[in-house]
């Protein structure tokens, strides 16, 4: 499984399925979905780094009147808070699910909704 899908996909899948008080029902399809998600994150980060092209950016708040900009920024802030909270409280499945939910991918199929 690790050779076929990679360790990142395997780790993410385990984190996503490891809810407290629940048995982990691991399957090849779920690992494949984890691989698909991790691949989307990898591609998005590569695109972002290419667009930044070594530019520095600050932490100052940038206001936008463009509704989609405001929506995605608020959603990213909310998910970042949920992921941090999940990690800090050792609820890795909640952190992984919050991150996965931001992508718009179905956890069952690993495809876009």
């Amino acid at each position: 499984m690790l050779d076929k899908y990679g360790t990142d996909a395997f780790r993410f899948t385990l984190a996503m399925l490891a809810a407290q008080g629940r048995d982990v029902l691991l399957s090849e399809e779920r690992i494949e979905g984890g691989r698909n998600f991790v691949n989307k994150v990898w591609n998005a980060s590569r695109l972002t780094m290419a667009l930044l092209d070594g530019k520095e950016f600050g932490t100052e708040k940038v206001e936008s009147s463009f509704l989609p900009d405001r929506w995605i920024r608020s959603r990213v802030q909310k998910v970042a808070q949920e992921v941090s909270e999940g990690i800090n409280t050792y609820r890795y499945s909640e952190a992984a699910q919050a991150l996965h939910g931001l992508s718009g991918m179905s956890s069952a199929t690993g495809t876009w909704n």
Side-chain angles (χ1 to χ4, degrees):
M1 292 286 193
L2 294 178
D3 291 336
K4 185 173 182 180
Y5 296 107
T7 55
D8 289 336
F10 190 72
R11 286 182 192 127
F12 182 79
T13 303
L14 285 177
M16 188 126 171
L17 298 175
Q20 289 182 338
R22 182 178 135 183
D23 291 337
V24 175
L25 301 174
L26 194 58
S27 69
E28 187 169 351
E29 292 81 19
R30 289 182 185 217
I31 296 170
E32 183 178 12
R35 183 209 48 204
N36 293 345
F37 175 74
V38 170
N39 188 47
K40 300 287 185 213
V41 171
W42 172 253
N43 288 337
S45 65
R46 287 184 51 203
L47 175 64
T48 301
M49 296 305 288
L51 292 173
L52 288 175
D53 194 30
K55 296 176 187 164
E56 295 289 325
F57 57 94
T59 58
E60 67 274 355
K61 188 173 182 177
V62 178
E63 293 293 330
S64 174
S65 61
F66 189 54
L67 186 60
D69 280 349
R70 292 190 356 238
W71 178 82
I72 193 67
R73 286 185 178 142
S74 70
R75 188 75 181 104
V76 167
Q77 288 175 351
K78 182 176 187 270
V79 168
Q81 181 181 8
E82 290 172 3
V83 169
S84 292
E85 196 172 295
I87 290 171
N88 291 335
T89 58
Y90 304 102
R91 296 175 185 253
Y92 301 114
S93 66
E94 291 177 16
Q97 289 172 12
L99 187 60
H100 195 272
L102 180 64
S103 74
M105 289 183 75
S106 166
S107 60
T109 63
T111 58
W112 292 99
N113 290 335

